[in-house]
PDB file of all heavy atoms in Angstrom:
ATOM      1  N   VAL A  37     -32.043 -32.229 117.399  1.00 95.00           N
ATOM      2  CA  VAL A  37     -33.314 -31.718 117.895  1.00 95.00           C
ATOM      3  C   VAL A  37     -34.321 -31.718 116.742  1.00 95.00           C
ATOM      4  O   VAL A  37     -33.964 -31.467 115.590  1.00 95.00           O
ATOM      5  CB  VAL A  37     -33.158 -30.299 118.495  1.00 95.00           C
ATOM      6  CG1 VAL A  37     -32.650 -29.297 117.479  1.00 95.00           C
ATOM      7  CG2 VAL A  37     -34.477 -29.822 119.097  1.00 95.00           C
ATOM      8  N   GLN A  38     -35.558 -32.039 117.079  1.00 91.00           N
ATOM      9  CA  GLN A  38     -36.630 -32.041 116.088  1.00 91.00           C
ATOM     10  C   GLN A  38     -37.795 -31.234 116.643  1.00 91.00           C
ATOM     11  O   GLN A  38     -38.471 -31.662 117.579  1.00 91.00           O
ATOM     12  CB  GLN A  38     -37.079 -33.468 115.770  1.00 91.00           C
ATOM     13  CG  GLN A  38     -38.118 -33.551 114.670  1.00 91.00           C
ATOM     14  CD  GLN A  38     -38.572 -34.981 114.425  1.00 91.00           C
ATOM     15  OE1 GLN A  38     -38.570 -35.830 115.310  1.00 91.00           O
ATOM     16  NE2 GLN A  38     -38.958 -35.263 113.192  1.00 91.00           N
ATOM     17  N   HIS A  39     -38.019 -30.083 116.055  1.00 90.00           N
ATOM     18  CA  HIS A  39     -39.195 -29.296 116.421  1.00 90.00           C
ATOM     19  C   HIS A  39     -40.410 -29.830 115.680  1.00 90.00           C
ATOM     20  O   HIS A  39     -40.259 -30.482 114.637  1.00 90.00           O
ATOM     21  CB  HIS A  39     -38.961 -27.816 116.121  1.00 90.00           C
ATOM     22  CG  HIS A  39     -38.002 -27.175 117.073  1.00 90.00           C
ATOM     23  ND1 HIS A  39     -36.648 -27.086 116.840  1.00 90.00           N
ATOM     24  CD2 HIS A  39     -38.198 -26.611 118.296  1.00 90.00           C
ATOM     25  CE1 HIS A  39     -36.062 -26.502 117.864  1.00 90.00           C
ATOM     26  NE2 HIS A  39     -36.973 -26.204 118.761  1.00 90.00           N
ATOM     27  N   PRO A  40     -41.598 -29.597 116.187  1.00 84.00           N
ATOM     28  CA  PRO A  40     -42.805 -30.163 115.580  1.00 84.00           C
ATOM     29  C   PRO A  40     -42.879 -29.907 114.079  1.00 84.00           C
ATOM     30  O   PRO A  40     -42.684 -28.772 113.627  1.00 84.00           O
ATOM     31  CB  PRO A  40     -43.934 -29.456 116.327  1.00 84.00           C
ATOM     32  CG  PRO A  40     -43.337 -29.126 117.653  1.00 84.00           C
ATOM     33  CD  PRO A  40     -41.910 -28.801 117.394  1.00 84.00           C
ATOM     34  N   ASN A  41     -43.123 -30.974 113.332  1.00 76.00           N
ATOM     35  CA  ASN A  41     -43.277 -30.907 111.873  1.00 76.00           C
ATOM     36  C   ASN A  41     -42.040 -30.366 111.165  1.00 76.00           C
ATOM     37  O   ASN A  41     -42.144 -29.784 110.083  1.00 76.00           O
ATOM     38  CB  ASN A  41     -44.498 -30.062 111.502  1.00 76.00           C
ATOM     39  CG  ASN A  41     -45.771 -30.633 112.073  1.00 76.00           C
ATOM     40  OD1 ASN A  41     -46.010 -31.838 111.985  1.00 76.00           O
ATOM     41  ND2 ASN A  41     -46.570 -29.787 112.702  1.00 76.00           N
ATOM     42  N   LYS A  42     -40.905 -30.541 111.784  1.00 80.00           N
ATOM     43  CA  LYS A  42     -39.648 -30.092 111.177  1.00 80.00           C
ATOM     44  C   LYS A  42     -38.686 -31.255 111.048  1.00 80.00           C
ATOM     45  O   LYS A  42     -38.931 -32.347 111.577  1.00 80.00           O
ATOM     46  CB  LYS A  42     -39.013 -28.996 112.047  1.00 80.00           C
ATOM     47  CG  LYS A  42     -39.808 -27.711 112.091  1.00 80.00           C
ATOM     48  CD  LYS A  42     -39.721 -26.975 110.773  1.00 80.00           C
ATOM     49  CE  LYS A  42     -40.377 -25.616 110.872  1.00 80.00           C
ATOM     50  NZ  LYS A  42     -40.341 -24.895 109.582  1.00 80.00           N
ATOM     51  N   GLY A  43     -37.588 -31.012 110.348  1.00 83.00           N
ATOM     52  CA  GLY A  43     -36.552 -32.030 110.207  1.00 83.00           C
ATOM     53  C   GLY A  43     -35.669 -32.112 111.435  1.00 83.00           C
ATOM     54  O   GLY A  43     -35.961 -31.546 112.487  1.00 83.00           O
ATOM     55  N   LEU A  44     -34.572 -32.809 111.287  1.00 89.00           N
ATOM     56  CA  LEU A  44     -33.636 -33.055 112.378  1.00 89.00           C
ATOM     57  C   LEU A  44     -32.452 -32.100 112.253  1.00 89.00           C
ATOM     58  O   LEU A  44     -31.763 -32.083 111.234  1.00 89.00           O
ATOM     59  CB  LEU A  44     -33.158 -34.504 112.328  1.00 89.00           C
ATOM     60  CG  LEU A  44     -34.254 -35.521 112.591  1.00 89.00           C
ATOM     61  CD1 LEU A  44     -33.955 -36.827 111.887  1.00 89.00           C
ATOM     62  CD2 LEU A  44     -34.395 -35.749 114.084  1.00 89.00           C
ATOM     63  N   GLN A  45     -32.219 -31.352 113.303  1.00 91.00           N
ATOM     64  CA  GLN A  45     -31.144 -30.360 113.296  1.00 91.00           C
ATOM     65  C   GLN A  45     -30.065 -30.773 114.276  1.00 91.00           C
ATOM     66  O   GLN A  45     -30.354 -31.135 115.422  1.00 91.00           O
ATOM     67  CB  GLN A  45     -31.706 -28.988 113.680  1.00 91.00           C
ATOM     68  CG  GLN A  45     -30.667 -27.878 113.671  1.00 91.00           C
ATOM     69  CD  GLN A  45     -31.216 -26.552 114.178  1.00 91.00           C
ATOM     70  OE1 GLN A  45     -32.241 -26.491 114.845  1.00 91.00           O
ATOM     71  NE2 GLN A  45     -30.523 -25.484 113.868  1.00 91.00           N
ATOM     72  N   LEU A  46     -28.816 -30.706 113.842  1.00 91.00           N
ATOM     73  CA  LEU A  46     -27.711 -31.061 114.713  1.00 91.00           C
ATOM     74  C   LEU A  46     -27.524 -29.999 115.789  1.00 91.00           C
ATOM     75  O   LEU A  46     -27.409 -28.814 115.492  1.00 91.00           O
ATOM     76  CB  LEU A  46     -26.427 -31.208 113.905  1.00 91.00           C
ATOM     77  CG  LEU A  46     -25.186 -31.571 114.713  1.00 91.00           C
ATOM     78  CD1 LEU A  46     -25.274 -33.020 115.192  1.00 91.00           C
ATOM     79  CD2 LEU A  46     -23.921 -31.359 113.880  1.00 91.00           C
ATOM     80  N   LEU A  47     -27.495 -30.448 117.046  1.00 94.00           N
ATOM     81  CA  LEU A  47     -27.205 -29.553 118.171  1.00 94.00           C
ATOM     82  C   LEU A  47     -25.711 -29.508 118.464  1.00 94.00           C
ATOM     83  O   LEU A  47     -25.138 -28.448 118.668  1.00 94.00           O
ATOM     84  CB  LEU A  47     -27.906 -30.054 119.433  1.00 94.00           C
ATOM     85  CG  LEU A  47     -29.335 -29.637 119.713  1.00 94.00           C
ATOM     86  CD1 LEU A  47     -29.787 -30.260 121.025  1.00 94.00           C
ATOM     87  CD2 LEU A  47     -29.469 -28.126 119.774  1.00 94.00           C
ATOM     88  N   LEU A  48     -25.110 -30.693 118.554  1.00 93.00           N
ATOM     89  CA  LEU A  48     -23.691 -30.782 118.853  1.00 93.00           C
ATOM     90  C   LEU A  48     -23.193 -32.186 118.557  1.00 93.00           C
ATOM     91  O   LEU A  48     -23.987 -33.104 118.372  1.00 93.00           O
ATOM     92  CB  LEU A  48     -23.409 -30.430 120.329  1.00 93.00           C
ATOM     93  CG  LEU A  48     -24.244 -31.100 121.395  1.00 93.00           C
ATOM     94  CD1 LEU A  48     -23.786 -32.502 121.715  1.00 93.00           C
ATOM     95  CD2 LEU A  48     -24.240 -30.248 122.679  1.00 93.00           C
ATOM     96  N   LYS A  49     -21.855 -32.317 118.524  1.00 90.00           N
ATOM     97  CA  LYS A  49     -21.281 -33.628 118.247  1.00 90.00           C
ATOM     98  C   LYS A  49     -19.984 -33.827 119.036  1.00 90.00           C
ATOM     99  O   LYS A  49     -19.254 -32.882 119.324  1.00 90.00           O
ATOM    100  CB  LYS A  49     -21.012 -33.806 116.761  1.00 90.00           C
ATOM    101  CG  LYS A  49     -19.922 -32.909 116.208  1.00 90.00           C
ATOM    102  CD  LYS A  49     -19.685 -33.222 114.736  1.00 90.00           C
ATOM    103  CE  LYS A  49     -18.562 -32.337 114.162  1.00 90.00           C
ATOM    104  NZ  LYS A  49     -18.310 -32.637 112.737  1.00 90.00           N
ATOM    105  N   TYR A  50     -19.711 -35.076 119.362  1.00 89.00           N
ATOM    106  CA  TYR A  50     -18.449 -35.485 119.977  1.00 89.00           C
ATOM    107  C   TYR A  50     -17.752 -36.463 119.037  1.00 89.00           C
ATOM    108  O   TYR A  50     -18.337 -37.465 118.625  1.00 89.00           O
ATOM    109  CB  TYR A  50     -18.702 -36.173 121.325  1.00 89.00           C
ATOM    110  CG  TYR A  50     -17.478 -36.893 121.813  1.00 89.00           C
ATOM    111  CD1 TYR A  50     -16.424 -36.197 122.395  1.00 89.00           C
ATOM    112  CD2 TYR A  50     -17.346 -38.280 121.642  1.00 89.00           C
ATOM    113  CE1 TYR A  50     -15.287 -36.860 122.806  1.00 89.00           C
ATOM    114  CE2 TYR A  50     -16.214 -38.945 122.056  1.00 89.00           C
ATOM    115  CZ  TYR A  50     -15.182 -38.229 122.629  1.00 89.00           C
ATOM    116  OH  TYR A  50     -14.048 -38.894 123.026  1.00 89.00           O
ATOM    117  N   THR A  51     -16.499 -36.137 118.707  1.00 79.00           N
ATOM    118  CA  THR A  51     -15.754 -37.027 117.811  1.00 79.00           C
ATOM    119  C   THR A  51     -14.334 -37.212 118.311  1.00 79.00           C
ATOM    120  O   THR A  51     -13.375 -37.099 117.560  1.00 79.00           O
ATOM    121  CB  THR A  51     -15.737 -36.474 116.379  1.00 79.00           C
ATOM    122  OG1 THR A  51     -15.195 -35.147 116.404  1.00 79.00           O
ATOM    123  CG2 THR A  51     -17.114 -36.448 115.774  1.00 79.00           C
ATOM    124  N   SER A  52     -14.173 -37.517 119.583  1.00 74.00           N
ATOM    125  CA  SER A  52     -12.905 -37.871 120.239  1.00 74.00           C
ATOM    126  C   SER A  52     -11.951 -36.703 120.432  1.00 74.00           C
ATOM    127  O   SER A  52     -10.761 -36.911 120.649  1.00 74.00           O
ATOM    128  CB  SER A  52     -12.184 -39.007 119.492  1.00 74.00           C
ATOM    129  OG  SER A  52     -11.548 -38.518 118.325  1.00 74.00           O
ATOM    130  N   ALA A  53     -12.447 -35.515 120.371  1.00 73.00           N
ATOM    131  CA  ALA A  53     -11.633 -34.361 120.737  1.00 73.00           C
ATOM    132  C   ALA A  53     -11.985 -34.007 122.196  1.00 73.00           C
ATOM    133  O   ALA A  53     -11.949 -34.857 123.052  1.00 73.00           O
ATOM    134  CB  ALA A  53     -11.871 -33.208 119.782  1.00 73.00           C
ATOM    135  N   ALA A  54     -12.328 -32.771 122.473  1.00 83.00           N
ATOM    136  CA  ALA A  54     -12.669 -32.370 123.835  1.00 83.00           C
ATOM    137  C   ALA A  54     -13.891 -33.123 124.328  1.00 83.00           C
ATOM    138  O   ALA A  54     -14.845 -33.337 123.589  1.00 83.00           O
ATOM    139  CB  ALA A  54     -12.943 -30.867 123.872  1.00 83.00           C
ATOM    140  N   THR A  55     -13.863 -33.532 125.579  1.00 88.00           N
ATOM    141  CA  THR A  55     -14.976 -34.313 126.110  1.00 88.00           C
ATOM    142  C   THR A  55     -16.185 -33.451 126.442  1.00 88.00           C
ATOM    143  O   THR A  55     -17.306 -33.961 126.492  1.00 88.00           O
ATOM    144  CB  THR A  55     -14.555 -35.085 127.370  1.00 88.00           C
ATOM    145  OG1 THR A  55     -14.031 -34.158 128.323  1.00 88.00           O
ATOM    146  CG2 THR A  55     -13.503 -36.133 127.036  1.00 88.00           C
ATOM    147  N   LEU A  56     -15.968 -32.170 126.672  1.00 94.00           N
ATOM    148  CA  LEU A  56     -17.093 -31.252 126.878  1.00 94.00           C
ATOM    149  C   LEU A  56     -17.339 -30.525 125.563  1.00 94.00           C
ATOM    150  O   LEU A  56     -16.466 -29.820 125.058  1.00 94.00           O
ATOM    151  CB  LEU A  56     -16.791 -30.261 128.002  1.00 94.00           C
ATOM    152  CG  LEU A  56     -17.918 -29.276 128.330  1.00 94.00           C
ATOM    153  CD1 LEU A  56     -19.160 -30.025 128.808  1.00 94.00           C
ATOM    154  CD2 LEU A  56     -17.463 -28.271 129.376  1.00 94.00           C
TER     155      LEU A  56
END
Side-chain angles (χ1 to χ4, degrees):
Chain A
V37 60
Q38 184 182 29
H39 288 92
N41 300 314
K42 293 288 187 182
L44 294 152
Q45 181 185 19
L46 180 71
L47 273 180
L48 49 80
K49 67 177 181 179
Y50 166 78
T51 56
S52 77
T55 56
L56 182 62

